[in-house]
Amino acid sequence: MTTAVRLGVRPFAGRIKGRSATIRFWRSLLGAGSRCLRPDPRVSVEPIIDPCVEDPGVKRAVRGEWLRSPGRSTGQGAILYLHGGGYAICSPRTHRVITARLAMDTGLPVLVPDYRLAPEHPFPAAFEDCLDAYRLLLARGVPAEHIIVAGDSSGGHLATALTAEACRTGLPSPGGVVLFSPWVDLTGELAMASEMRRHDPYIDPAVATRFGRLYVGAGDWTDPRLSLLTCPSEELPPFLIQVGGIEVLRAEAEALAEVLDEAGSPFDLQIWPGQMHVFQIFNRMLPEADEAMREAGRFIREVVGVDSVTEAA
């Protein structure tokens, strides 16, 4: 599978220059490809467009989808999942194989916001949409300590930025954070210097840097919602960080773990040997991805304190 991705995806991804037509093509291609990875059919998917009038801080209607496992919603919490895609591609649909698995393994409902994408909507559009989704959960009575904020790749950047923003602004902090292959350094400097640069079958650091520029736009790169490694990280909830052993973003996950360690924040960094970027998306095919999702489910249930559920086969 790694060889197939290296030969079939990376050469074409390297041609992405940031043009709108190219971005639209990749959005369509990945949307169609996601249909090949079927999520658990037992999980229901409910579209959501909610203005959340209860909270005047919510700037736009929250759009996205809820995923719920059959008869297992415990009422004890929720997962806010922020999908990856370099801030420019992908959607809640492309990540259902992950979000549906989280719903099944934890018994918790999963809210996946359909946040605005770059280059049409640069920073802080995506961040504000995800913050609004978090405010929606709070407004609907979900205790903050029972909310897990999770995300992969750029969604991992969003999840970390949102959690830090809650601590800085006085919003109730979520109970925990789960990151799959988080994209931490949008400048691309860590990725370009990574020793995994030649081994990663999927992520081209040059392409990642282009996507970072598309999202940041005219924004300030030192903004704490963008620059995660240089901002205070005190009083953060526990983190679970999973990263593939051969991916170029491994260095970024390790750098984030160092920041958390220096701040005294609890974390568990798991480096999965031989695995590539967001390998968890193959959890219905690969035993390592299946076990990684089980680990994430156990972490979430422990943090939230939900009753044990039967994990997905």
Side-chain angles (χ1 to χ4, degrees):
M1 183 172 293
T2 297
T3 301
V5 171
R6 186 192 304 276
L7 298 178
V9 176
R10 180 163 175 164
F12 297 98
R15 299 178 183 177
I16 298 178
K17 304 299 182 183
R19 300 185 182 92
S20 296
T22 307
I23 296 294
R24 289 195 298 270
F25 169 77
W26 275 96
R27 289 173 184 168
S28 299
L29 183 64
L30 292 174
S34 67
R35 299 177 185 275
C36 299
L37 296 173
R38 298 181 179 276
D40 194 313
R42 295 171 291 178
V43 174
S44 65
V45 180
E46 307 165 13
I48 175 178
I49 302 178
D50 194 325
C52 190
V53 295
E54 301 92 330
D55 186 340
V58 174
K59 300 179 180 180
R60 295 168 53 88
V62 176
R63 299 173 180 268
E65 59 187 36
W66 279 105
L67 292 94
R68 305 178 192 273
S69 58
R72 289 185 182 176
S73 291
T74 64
Q76 294 176 274
I79 299 171
L80 176 62
Y81 193 89
L82 312 178
H83 71 79
Y87 280 112
I89 55 179
C90 293
S91 68
R93 174 186 287 275
T94 61
H95 284 65
R96 282 180 187 168
V97 72
I98 289 180
T99 53
R101 178 62 185 268
L102 288 173
M104 287 299 300
D105 279 3
T106 66
L108 296 173
V110 181
L111 174 61
V112 191
D114 190 9
Y115 59 82
R116 289 169 290 170
L117 300 176
E120 299 93 333
H121 304 284
F123 173 79
F127 176 84
E128 290 179 344
D129 291 351
C130 294
L131 182 60
D132 284 348
Y134 183 66
R135 286 182 175 274
L136 170 66
L137 293 176
L138 295 174
R140 294 300 156 78
V142 182
E145 63 271 20
H146 290 172
I147 298 175
I148 298 294
V149 180
D152 66 278
S153 195
S154 57
H157 185 277
L158 276 171
T160 306
L162 189 157
T163 303
E165 181 76 356
C167 295
R168 282 192 299 270
T169 60
L171 269 179
S173 177
V177 181
V178 175
L179 307 179
F180 301 138
S181 300
W183 185 23
V184 176
D185 175 25
L186 300 187
T187 69
E189 292 179 2
L190 281 175
M192 293 297 287
S194 172
E195 63 181 12
M196 292 293 108
R197 183 178 176 184
R198 296 183 179 180
H199 300 282
D200 191 312
Y202 180 53
I203 298 294
D204 182 335
V207 175
T209 300
R210 291 180 205 139
F211 274 100
R213 291 171 181 165
L214 286 178
Y215 175 59
V216 176
D220 181 359
W221 287 86
T222 64
D223 189 301
R225 297 168 295 177
L226 295 171
S227 181
L228 304 183
L229 298 177
T230 59
C231 299
S233 303
E234 300 177 359
E235 301 181 1
L236 293 178
F239 276 64
L240 171 64
I241 307 172
Q242 294 182 346
V243 65
I246 62 172
E247 66 170 301
V248 74
L249 296 190
R250 171 179 170 175
E252 303 194 11
E254 293 171 331
L256 177 60
E258 290 179 4
V259 170
L260 294 172
D261 187 45
E262 292 175 0
S265 300
F267 70 93
D268 180 10
L269 172 63
Q270 299 180 352
I271 300 175
W272 292 75
Q275 300 305 306
M276 63 181 182
H277 187 62
V278 196
F279 66 96
Q280 296 86 350
I281 205 165
F282 300 111
N283 65 77
R284 303 194 76 184
M285 303 168 61
L286 302 180
E288 295 87 353
D290 173 70
E291 181 55 31
M293 292 302 300
R294 292 180 187 271
E295 288 283 335
R298 283 191 284 267
F299 172 85
I300 292 171
R301 295 197 307 274
E302 180 179 341
V303 169
V304 176
V306 299
D307 297 330
S308 179
V309 297
T310 302
E311 293 177 278

